[in-house]
Amino acid sequence: GQATAAGMPQNPTKGGEYGEPARTPQPGATVEPPSPLVGASTTSENIASAKVGKGVAPVAASPVADPLDRVRSDATGQTLTTNQGVQIADNQHSLKVGLRGPTALEDFILREKITHFDHERIPERVVHARGSAAHGYFEAYQDLSKVTRAAPFAAAGKQTPVFVRFSTVAGERGSTDTARDVRGFAVKFYTDEGNWDLVGNNIPVFFIQDAMKFPDLVHAVKPEPNNGIPQAASAHDTFWDFASLSPESVHMMLWTMSDRAIPRSYRMMQGFGVHSYRMVNAEGESVFVKFHWTPVAGTHSLVWDEAVKISGADPDFHRRDLWESIEAGAFPEWELALQIFTEEQAAGFGFDILDSTKLIPEELVPLTPVGKMVLNRNPDNFFAETEQVAFCVAHVVPGIDFSNDPLLQGRIHSYLDTQITRLGGVNFHEIPINSPVAPVYNNQRDGHHRQAIHRGRVAYEPNSLAGGSPAQAGYRRGFTTFPEHIVEDKVRGKAELFADHYSQARLFWQSQTTPEKQHIVKAFRFELSRVQTLAVRERVVSLLMNVADELAQGVAGGLGMPLPEAAPVLALQPLPSYEPSPALSLMNFPGDGSIKTRRVAILVANGVESEAIRGLYTKLLTEGAVPRLVGPLLGQVTPVDGDPLNVEVSVEAMPAVLYDAVIVSSGDAAVSTWMNDPDVMDFLRDQYRHGKPMLMLGGSSALLKQAGIPSALPDGSVDDALLMADSAGADAAFASFKTALAGFRQAKRDAN
Ligand code: HDD
């Protein structure tokens, strides 16, 4: 307890006990931790610092975020009240008939509090339950009015506020971030002509071609209904049973077994609108487009062993990463590009642009960059914003229109419908995070939780009693559906080219680098090893045989099974043949070459030589990286030279998988302690195994031998991410270390 002016002990949570002084909270202390390199030991992973921010979102001017101040509630300096505004004298005790007697029904304060608590949870999203979000803006590079009248593209430099939510698909709300899964990439544009939601994924194709199959897909991948196992994983019988009986899913299967499904960060993955959409200009002319988001930080992924270990060490890995980088001012950024094509062009592609299991190779339709998106503000409240945000594929604005993709058509229905259950009624658009910045006037009325107080007696149109207001906008201003000419039979079925399930799966496979191919084979092996039903495993491999022999053989060999017969293939002619497309490889987007936000462990212990690491620490900070002094325990370590060092985090609390690279200090005493420390040995082995850059200073390179780490690559060549330097050469080694870290991972080491 702190001392009050009166010298009384003060506990701010016990107003009833200590009276008035307790109702005056302490002024919020600004935490400015000292550098870990000097002074008293205070730091921990959770203390605000220049590296992770101050716990208060930087406030960027935004027409969405700023008006939310209207509903932001800050209790600093305020008194506790009921929901009716009645001040509460005692928040510790229920009202009892005698101190040892029963609680009175009359205790409205207790009942209001408990009743509200009982209803705190709302249904989680049926898919994409686990997610993280941030505010930001989209800025157009150029005036795109030739192509679309959509507001965000009206002028070069025009900014449109956005709220973006990233997610996994299969896991429940509390599940791990690093599951092998598709990632959702949902962007709400608060345009000045209404809200536009671009609800995409980090993979440009989908498992199924028709919305009719979506509930089956989701039931198959979710935990099995009898025992609720497994959580956030596709590695089980029901998923692969469904997938193996749905050959249309083969192309997507390859993507989800690739490293795309285990991104290093939400900030380091692409996003795709998946479907073909239409853009329509003011003259009513239309083209088709596909949407692509490309991260400025490059595309980087985890390796599977690392993803599994992160799940234990920090299940919030991606959520924390997004939060911390925004707090630290390292704002994530993507470029938006369009593939623009006409109906006539599409007729010659050899695949159907209405089929969501197909992408359009960039060799066929190159990308046109149209703008960038920057995420610069964390939500203030996870529930109010991230949980209550409602994305809906049907939210389009004038200038954006749908295609007839049967998956998209079903989605147009599904998203509105699901919010009615999830958010408790039809007025979810009035929840602040969902409200457009464009004004809303119509004759919809009432419903649960109505916020607007509509004035007047007219709630219909046409009317004369309200002077005809609100009036139709007419075709020039209002949303106008592109008048596509259609004369067709009403049928259930699919178009012919939808039956080609393998051409693009082969294209994807052929476009991968060798390590990527190896990871795909291993992912299939892992998933199918967990499948208990032999026939399901066989069916999957029989599909893969139509993709590539080396793939099918690799997977079958890994499962200890003979090659089955290839699955039957419909003879369709002529099918497109593709050259490998470099854009389909993750390696194609290395990023901007910086090491910003990369986390670097610097191992320290008593007896280290501190001069070199002080220099490296400062250099890393200057480059925008996130160095951490990692020691055996919290507290201080005593180097052979200079001031004590403050350990920022212990090896136990943050193991190797939570860093992108390691620097191991020199110093005989420290090195000989580490030789016998199993945590440190595991740390080094994992760093090596996961391909991470390692800089061994002075005598610490002796640890490599002890850990069984080879000094050259498997092919005998030099490992340029495994660096050694004596302390005098540490500065020079930093340049090589930086290059290795910018390159992210040594793929050739590959023990994965
Ligand atoms: Fe979906 C959520 C993306 C097919 C039905 N979907 C949801 C979210 C994303 C996607 C990113 C989470 C939005 C958020 O963060 O709140 N979904 C996709 C993509 C698809 C796709 C890229 C294929 C191209 N989805 C799809 C189909 C249907 C749905 C075919 C149904 C016919 N999706 C839903 C849903 C969800 C949803 C049930 C659950 C929660 C929500 O909508 O708001 O309506």
Side-chain angles (χ1 to χ4, degrees):
Q2 317 242 345
T4 63
M8 290 282 289
Q10 177 179 316
N11 180 337
T13 65
K14 295 200 173 177
E17 258 178 68
Y18 296 114
E20 187 61 30
R23 292 202 275 275
T24 315
Q26 302 297 300
T30 323
V31 189
E32 283 293 358
S35 161
L37 305 176
V38 284
S41 168
T42 53
T43 51
S44 84
E45 213 33 37
N46 296 324
I47 286 193
S49 74
K51 285 163 278 174
V52 294
K54 294 186 165 64
V56 178
V59 179
S62 152
V64 173
D66 296 348
L68 289 181
D69 279 341
R70 167 174 65 84
V71 285
R72 285 193 181 102
S73 171
D74 185 347
T76 308
Q78 303 300 326
T79 303
L80 204 59
T81 72
T82 68
N83 286 334
Q84 303 306 319
V86 175
Q87 297 203 4
I88 296 172
D90 178 346
N91 191 37
Q92 317 306 315
H93 304 102
S94 47
L95 182 68
K96 301 182 193 78
V97 184
L99 279 179
R100 302 183 59 249
T103 301
L105 180 62
E106 164 191 326
D107 189 352
F108 65 93
I109 296 179
L110 172 73
R111 284 194 292 115
E112 183 199 75
K113 184 175 178 180
I114 300 292
T115 303
H116 196 278
F117 169 78
D118 289 343
H119 299 269
E120 271 177 10
R121 290 291 166 275
I122 63 168
E124 65 174 30
R125 289 170 176 81
V126 56
V127 283
H128 297 265
R130 170 79 184 175
S132 304
H135 292 275
Y137 63 90
F138 171 78
E139 185 176 319
Y141 288 158
Q142 71 259 41
D143 169 355
L144 214 63
S145 52
K146 272 205 180 107
V147 176
T148 178
R149 57 182 283 213
F153 308 106
K158 179 170 182 182
Q159 291 193 353
T160 300
V162 297
F163 189 67
V164 182
R165 184 172 179 272
F166 306 105
S167 48
T168 55
V169 180
E172 292 166 7
R173 188 152 54 194
S175 56
T176 179
D177 277 343
T178 58
R180 171 176 292 287
D181 201 350
V182 183
R183 297 299 185 287
F185 194 122
V187 182
K188 187 180 284 293
F189 293 81
Y190 302 86
T191 87
D192 38 27
E193 299 198 6
N195 283 358
W196 169 36
D197 295 351
L198 183 54
V199 195
N201 280 338
N202 74 331
I203 290 179
V205 290
F206 204 64
F207 287 107
I208 49 170
Q209 298 168 318
D210 192 311
M212 190 72 151
K213 307 210 68 174
F214 191 68
D216 300 295
L217 167 70
V218 174
H219 288 173
V221 73
K222 282 273 176 176
E224 297 190 12
N226 53 346
N227 55 17
I229 301 172
Q231 182 58 242
S234 55
H236 58 123
D237 286 45
T238 56
F239 173 71
W240 287 102
D241 186 28
F242 174 84
S244 67
L245 294 169
S246 311
E248 69 200 57
S249 67
V250 168
H251 186 197
M252 176 77 159
M253 244 185 239
L254 261 69
W255 284 82
T256 54
M257 292 302 108
S258 80
D259 295 343
R260 304 262 173 180
I262 39 173
R264 158 64 179 82
S265 157
Y266 289 138
R267 302 177 292 118
M268 300 172 190
M269 59 184 204
Q270 286 172 289
F272 302 94
V274 182
H275 313 281
S276 301
Y277 283 88
R278 276 185 186 280
M279 279 189 159
V280 187
N281 67 16
E283 278 69 54
E285 297 158 341
S286 168
V287 287
F288 286 110
V289 292
K290 291 246 187 191
F291 294 101
H292 293 244
W293 296 106
T294 306
V296 170
T299 52
H300 301 291
S301 283
L302 303 170
V303 293
W304 179 240
D305 179 68
E306 189 187 10
V308 168
K309 289 171 179 166
I310 291 173
S311 279
D314 186 5
D316 306 302
F317 189 66
H318 288 149
R319 179 174 291 178
R320 194 187 305 283
D321 170 274
L322 182 66
W323 179 273
E324 288 187 350
S325 50
I326 292 174
E327 288 301 302
F331 300 142
E333 215 173 300
W334 287 259
E335 179 164 86
L336 179 66
L338 304 178
Q339 282 179 301
I340 305 174
F341 56 100
T342 61
E343 190 136 28
E344 295 68 46
Q345 277 176 292
F349 285 166
F351 56 87
D352 201 320
I353 58 126
L354 302 183
D355 174 357
S356 276
T357 67
K358 308 294 194 315
L359 50 81
I360 302 181
E362 288 177 28
E363 290 71 21
L364 216 50
V365 182
L367 300 189
T368 307
V370 295
K372 67 169 182 178
M373 179 170 76
V374 179
L375 298 184
N376 59 6
R377 176 174 176 145
N378 279 314
D380 289 281
N381 184 281
F382 186 88
F383 180 84
E385 298 174 78
T386 309
E387 197 61 17
Q388 292 201 117
V389 65
F391 291 93
C392 177
V393 176
H395 294 166
V396 290
V397 292
I400 310 282
D401 204 346
F402 311 113
S403 70
N404 296 331
D405 176 339
L407 196 71
L408 173 59
Q409 293 280 318
R411 294 181 73 196
I412 295 167
H413 159 73
S414 183
Y415 291 72
L416 171 60
D417 186 39
T418 202
Q419 311 307 348
I420 294 171
T421 298
R422 191 171 77 80
L423 298 172
V426 288
N427 290 320
F428 63 87
H429 63 284
E430 290 187 321
I431 297 173
I433 193 67
N434 295 323
S435 299
V437 292
V440 176
Y441 298 106
N442 59 40
N443 295 311
Q444 296 170 27
R445 289 292 182 272
D446 308 346
H448 281 295
H449 317 305
R450 184 45 111 171
Q451 307 291 303
I453 301 173
H454 295 107
R455 304 180 66 200
R457 57 178 172 152
V458 169
Y460 55 87
E461 192 278 332
N463 67 66
S464 69
L465 298 185
S469 306
Q472 297 181 142
Y475 288 107
R476 282 263 160 223
R477 279 191 298 135
F479 181 86
T480 309
T481 294
F482 179 72
E484 183 184 356
H485 178 67
I486 306 180
V487 183
E488 287 287 356
D489 295 344
K490 190 188 282 183
V491 288
R492 285 187 196 278
K494 60 178 71 154
E496 189 185 353
L497 286 175
F498 278 52
D500 171 22
H501 304 316
Y502 297 106
S503 302
Q504 290 210 350
R506 280 194 287 272
L507 162 67
F508 180 73
W509 175 258
Q510 287 161 9
S511 306
Q512 303 303 298
T513 59
T514 304
E516 286 173 295
K517 284 183 176 173
Q518 287 166 350
H519 291 181
I520 293 172
V521 169
K522 285 174 175 171
F524 271 109
R525 185 182 73 199
F526 170 83
E527 297 264 318
L528 295 176
S529 296
R530 288 212 163 171
V531 167
Q532 303 300 309
T533 311
L534 191 61
V536 171
R537 282 188 212 149
E538 277 172 358
R539 254 191 334 254
V540 176
V541 180
S542 75
L543 297 177
L544 300 182
M545 291 185 68
N546 295 324
V547 179
D549 286 345
E550 50 171 345
L551 170 62
Q553 279 159 8
V555 176
L559 294 169
M561 60 181 260
L563 276 182
E565 267 183 45
V569 181
L570 275 183
L572 280 167
Q573 290 302 331
L575 285 180
S577 69
Y578 299 101
E579 291 297 312
S581 173
L584 301 183
S585 161
L586 275 175
M587 307 292 174
N588 200 42
F589 307 92
D592 59 4
S594 86
I595 59 168
K596 265 188 237 155
T597 75
R598 303 280 163 85
R599 306 178 68 87
V600 181
I602 302 181
L603 290 191
V604 294
N606 284 329
V608 292
E609 295 167 343
S610 73
E611 196 189 326
I613 53 179
R614 286 176 206 277
L616 290 168
Y617 193 101
T618 310
K619 279 200 167 74
L620 286 166
L621 275 185
T622 312
E623 298 278 348
V626 184
R628 280 280 180 271
L629 294 187
V630 181
L633 295 169
L634 293 182
Q636 296 192 322
V637 298
T638 313
V640 290
D641 52 350
D643 288 337
L645 294 166
N646 296 319
V647 172
E648 292 176 273
V649 61
S650 67
V651 181
E652 174 186 68
M654 285 192 63
V657 288
L658 302 182
Y659 303 93
D660 296 302
V662 65
I663 295 172
V664 186
S665 314
S666 57
D668 293 345
V671 171
S672 62
T673 323
W674 288 331
M675 285 280 184
N676 302 309
D677 184 335
D679 283 343
V680 170
M681 285 295 132
D682 282 350
F683 197 103
L684 297 178
R685 282 190 203 104
D686 272 354
Q687 284 279 317
Y688 181 80
R689 176 174 179 186
H690 302 147
K692 292 173 178 170
M694 304 172 77
L695 172 55
M696 313 298 293
L697 298 176
S700 74
S701 57
L703 294 165
L704 297 178
K705 192 154 181 247
Q706 176 82 354
I709 294 173
S711 53
L713 290 169
D715 66 5
S717 62
V718 177
D719 186 340
D720 49 19
L722 180 54
L723 303 159
M724 285 158 231
D726 55 30
S727 17
D731 275 8
F734 183 74
S736 318
F737 182 71
K738 195 189 144 192
T739 308
L741 189 52
F744 201 68
R745 213 182 274 284
Q746 171 57 274
K748 290 190 214 137
R749 222 181 260 167
D750 219 347
N752 290 285

